[in-house]
Amino acid sequence: MAASCTQRPALQSNSSEQNRFMEKLMAKILRFYDQQSLIDVTFKVSNPTAVVPAHRLILAAASPYFENLFKGKQGNNPVIEINYIDSDTFERLITFCYTGEAPITVNNVGAMLKAAIVLQLDDAINSCVDCIMKNITERSIQVAYVLERETQCERLKQKLIEYEIKNFMEISRRVEFLNFDVEKLQHILESDNLNITREEDAYDAIKRWFNYDVPAHQEQLPILIACLRLTQFDADFLLTHIQPLPGCELLAFKAISWIREPAARTKINMRFTEPRVTCEKTFLVFGSTEMNHKLLQYNKAEDKWQKYASLKIDYTDFTMKFSNDNLILIGGYKNGATLNIVRSWNIRNKTWQNLPAMNQARRSHLTAELDGKIYAIGGLEGNKVLSSVERYTPSDGWEFVSSFIFPKSFGRAVTLNNKIYVLGGRNGFGDLKLVECYNPDSNTWTSCADMTECRVSPCVRVHKGHIYVLEKYSAKQSSQSVERYDPERNTWSKICCLNAEWARIENVFSFDNKLWSFGHPKHDDISSVSVYDEDNDRWVKKCSLPNVDRYTYNIVPVALLSSK
């Protein structure tokens, strides 16, 4: 009895000699195949009729299908009929058994894949799937979906899911997406590598899928909403968008509790509490010194700021809005004239685009974004204080909505509970502590309770269902007055000062579940960044920004920033 190969000593002690031996062996086998020498089986294949000679040992080693075939009843027959694979495809795959290669093309890949699955040629299956994915186009992906359903090929299914995860924004807008089953969608949405720039992109895709067939999808909706990184939304979004969805009330409640009660997080069962890899966020800062403008990005790992881009802007007093992938400059002032121009700079591609101009020229105005619409509010036209408000949508351009109750400029606007709140500012009578609220559903403005102090261009932040306001510049140079608005009670209350060491606070952000402040300390002119240590009730200095005249801050997905 022959000894097992595993019991024999190595053929050669030198690996290069082993390789030469195997190359000579394979060359000899291929020569036997080309010359049809020592053939011990012939296949008779139809469509069109052809005979394909081969060696049993080679085929059995290449495929469990052939191994089992030759061990069966007809295995000793010199001629074996194959009626379920066309002759051209069958001959290509027999060649593959010898060489590990086959002429797979876009035109024959469907037939090759189906036959390779029947013949249990895993490597040929992989080659077919690679060919399909390498040549994916908007048209061919439909063919790939059909082929995956017909063959139930697990590798093709997995590769398509990987493609859908990588190209989610494009795929989610196609008709095919609306017919994805819930298991497939769940697999995609659970991925940490889902290629989106913000979690709202995944939510929007789920809503499109849900609205396409509400009766059929309603029961499955909570399964998909649970795949979202709900803790990355703010409480306002959860209340207005997630909580009203059928079956999603508890999911919204748990996420809101997790956000608002950090001490209780260990007791709250949340599937996902960290952002996706592609949704990791960072600070992007727009800084200006006279006519020099630049964007700086924060490198969290190295705790330092890096230049992202320089922008050429030859006018001033514009209002800036970060919207999705774009930095939008609205209005402004140049050579004594107030402007109505609107320009958009794409953060990812670093390119400019002109948008439709506003109906009214504005400077020192307020801006807000609500439900994908951008609002330009009040401001100045020349020296005239404006009360007009207009709203931009890509489909309709700019259109006027209801005007303010009181004209104003140099205020601040925030969104909360699907409404816009405008706070403070200045008009012809002086500084203001007025607060007005705009309801887009009724297109009306209403007066809210006044702030406790007049504030011009204050820092304003929505946090845990309240509006926090602090003076941007402290007259006393010793503390920062902070007050908080409760929209349910329509009341203001003073809270502890932000930090007695700061002379000027530029902005405050909630980021990484912590409170970050940007501003100028009393003792130098470097704009510094600090993070609030809640446990020890103190501010910890993180890093410094180069000193410039002004900053505009925003939090953006890291994946949005171009590496070029």
Side-chain angles (χ1 to χ4, degrees):
M1 183 177 181
S4 167
C5 289
T6 57
Q7 295 175 331
R8 293 178 182 174
L11 292 171
Q12 304 287 344
S13 59
N14 188 295
S15 60
S16 61
E17 293 180 357
Q18 290 179 347
N19 291 337
R20 283 196 294 273
F21 173 82
M22 295 304 298
E23 289 172 1
K24 289 170 60 179
L25 181 63
M26 288 307 303
K28 193 72 172 179
I29 291 172
L30 291 174
R31 194 175 305 121
F32 287 152
Y33 178 65
D34 290 338
Q35 297 172 354
Q36 297 187 21
S37 177
L38 303 178
I39 293 297
D40 54 4
V41 65
T42 300
F43 295 95
K44 184 178 180 182
V45 194
S46 57
N47 191 28
T49 301
V51 292
V52 180
H55 301 90
R56 295 173 189 267
L57 181 63
I58 300 299
L59 302 191
S63 159
Y65 171 88
F66 287 115
E67 182 181 2
N68 293 329
L69 175 66
F70 297 143
K71 289 180 179 178
K73 292 182 179 179
Q74 60 173 336
N76 292 324
N77 294 344
V79 178
I80 299 175
E81 291 191 14
I82 300 292
N83 300 314
Y84 37 84
I85 301 175
D86 69 83
S87 56
D88 288 340
T89 300
F90 186 80
E91 188 166 9
R92 291 189 188 101
L93 289 175
I94 293 299
T95 301
F96 187 90
C97 292
Y98 285 85
T99 65
E101 297 178 353
I104 301 172
T105 67
V106 173
N107 294 327
N108 70 24
V109 68
M112 291 286 283
L113 176 61
K114 292 176 182 179
I117 291 172
V118 171
L119 300 179
Q120 297 178 261
L121 289 167
D122 290 344
D123 291 332
I125 292 171
N126 294 344
S127 296
C128 290
V129 171
D130 290 345
C131 176
I132 292 170
M133 300 311 300
K134 183 179 179 180
N135 294 282
I136 279 287
T137 63
E138 186 173 348
R139 185 175 178 180
S140 68
I141 196 169
Q142 300 174 16
V143 177
Y145 284 139
V146 171
L147 196 57
E148 187 270 321
R149 287 194 295 270
E150 290 178 350
T151 63
Q152 295 295 299
C153 176
E154 280 300 318
R155 180 172 175 83
L156 179 56
K157 179 180 180 180
Q158 183 58 43
K159 286 294 182 180
L160 283 171
I161 287 177
E162 291 176 8
Y163 178 84
E164 290 152 355
I165 289 171
K166 184 177 180 180
N167 300 276
F168 183 78
M169 296 300 292
E170 176 189 353
I171 292 292
S172 65
R173 294 187 178 98
R174 292 182 178 173
V175 175
E176 297 91 347
F177 176 81
L178 302 175
N179 293 306
F180 281 4
D181 60 59
V182 68
E183 290 80 10
K184 180 184 182 74
L185 263 178
Q186 185 178 4
H187 193 159
I188 293 170
L189 291 165
E190 286 177 340
S191 173
D192 268 340
N193 295 309
L194 188 66
N195 192 15
I196 53 178
T197 56
R198 55 189 190 128
E199 197 64 22
E200 286 87 344
D201 294 334
Y203 164 80
D204 291 341
I206 294 174
K207 281 297 295 292
R208 284 195 295 274
W209 178 86
F210 172 67
N211 291 332
Y212 177 69
D213 191 347
V214 172
H217 294 164
Q218 182 166 324
E219 187 176 345
Q220 301 163 328
L221 181 61
I223 297 173
L224 301 183
I225 293 296
C227 298
L228 296 174
R229 280 37 175 183
L230 293 172
T231 59
Q232 302 307 306
F233 298 120
D234 58 35
D236 180 30
F237 185 95
L238 293 166
L239 283 170
T240 57
H241 293 84
I242 304 298
Q243 191 272 338
L245 297 176
C248 298
E249 297 87 350
L250 181 58
L251 290 170
F253 173 76
K254 287 166 62 176
I256 292 170
S257 300
W258 195 93
I259 292 169
R260 291 182 172 175
E261 303 294 337
R265 288 174 182 172
T266 56
K267 301 177 183 178
I268 301 172
N269 182 22
M270 295 292 300
R271 287 189 64 191
F272 305 103
T273 58
E274 297 295 327
R276 302 177 197 271
V277 174
T278 52
C279 279
E280 181 186 355
K281 296 183 178 180
T282 189
F283 288 109
L284 189 64
V285 173
F286 176 88
S288 304
T289 302
E290 297 180 350
M291 292 298 176
N292 296 319
H293 309 279
K294 58 186 175 183
L295 282 168
L296 304 173
Q297 68 180 93
Y298 176 59
N299 185 320
K300 180 180 176 182
E302 300 181 18
D303 187 28
K304 68 179 184 180
W305 295 88
Q306 299 171 333
K307 181 180 175 182
Y308 179 68
S310 295
L311 281 70
K312 293 183 179 179
I313 306 171
D314 61 355
Y315 56 100
T316 63
D317 215 6
F318 49 82
T319 299
M320 184 177 303
K321 192 68 186 174
F322 286 88
S323 181
N324 295 336
D325 293 2
N326 299 295
L327 186 65
I328 300 178
L329 277 58
I330 304 169
Y333 188 76
K334 182 179 180 180
N335 298 331
T338 305
L339 307 175
N340 68 342
I341 63 173
V342 182
R343 302 171 67 205
S344 174
W345 189 78
N346 187 274
I347 298 171
R348 188 191 301 274
N349 300 325
K350 301 182 179 180
T351 55
W352 285 101
Q353 178 185 1
N354 291 324
L355 297 181
M358 291 184 291
N359 296 305
Q360 186 159 28
R362 303 174 190 272
R363 64 184 178 92
S364 303
H365 50 292
L366 300 73
T367 56
E369 184 174 7
L370 183 62
D371 287 338
K373 304 176 179 67
I374 296 176
Y375 290 76
I377 305 168
L380 298 171
E381 184 177 17
N383 294 319
K384 178 185 177 182
V385 183
L386 302 174
S387 61
S388 67
V389 181
E390 50 188 309
R391 177 175 63 197
Y392 172 77
T393 57
S395 57
D396 301 325
W398 290 94
E399 55 183 358
F400 284 112
V401 297
S402 290
S403 297
F404 273 147
I405 300 172
F406 298 99
K408 61 180 69 70
S409 60
F410 295 103
R412 284 292 180 266
V414 293
T415 59
L416 176 63
N417 298 334
N418 208 39
K419 297 176 182 178
I420 298 174
Y421 288 83
V422 173
L423 306 97
R426 180 181 292 157
N427 63 15
F429 299 99
D431 297 347
L432 304 171
K433 56 182 177 181
L434 299 174
V435 179
E436 295 184 45
C437 176
Y438 176 71
N439 186 335
D441 296 332
S442 60
N443 189 28
T444 56
W445 289 90
T446 56
S447 292
C448 302
D450 290 349
M451 293 182 289
T452 60
E453 297 181 20
C454 294
R455 301 181 186 274
V456 178
S457 300
C459 293
V460 181
R461 184 64 48 201
V462 171
H463 184 59
K464 297 183 179 180
H466 293 76
I467 299 175
Y468 288 76
V469 181
L470 58 146
E471 196 63 50
K472 197 167 188 178
Y473 303 102
S474 173
K476 297 179 181 179
Q477 299 286 300
S478 61
S479 65
Q480 297 294 327
S481 171
V482 182
E483 55 186 311
R484 178 176 64 193
Y485 177 68
D486 185 336
E488 293 185 4
R489 298 180 180 179
N490 189 30
T491 57
W492 287 92
S493 58
K494 288 245 182 168
I495 62 173
C496 63
C497 296
L498 182 65
N499 192 338
E501 289 298 314
W502 293 85
R504 292 197 302 165
I505 298 295
E506 297 286 346
N507 221 322
V508 177
F509 272 103
S510 177
F511 176 60
D512 272 357
N513 299 315
K514 297 177 181 178
L515 196 63
W516 295 61
S517 78
F518 294 72
H520 295 273
K522 289 165 54 177
H523 306 296
D524 60 54
D525 290 327
I526 301 299
S527 184
S528 297
V529 181
S530 287
V531 177
Y532 183 59
D533 179 354
E534 295 183 53
D535 295 334
N536 298 298
D537 191 26
R538 64 190 181 95
W539 290 87
V540 179
K541 192 170 182 179
K542 291 290 291 183
C543 50
S544 296
L545 280 163
N547 190 31
V548 296
D549 291 342
R550 66 171 183 165
Y551 285 118
T552 301
Y553 309 83
N554 203 58
I555 298 173
V556 300
V558 173
L560 179 62
L561 302 178
S562 167
S563 59
K564 296 179 181 179

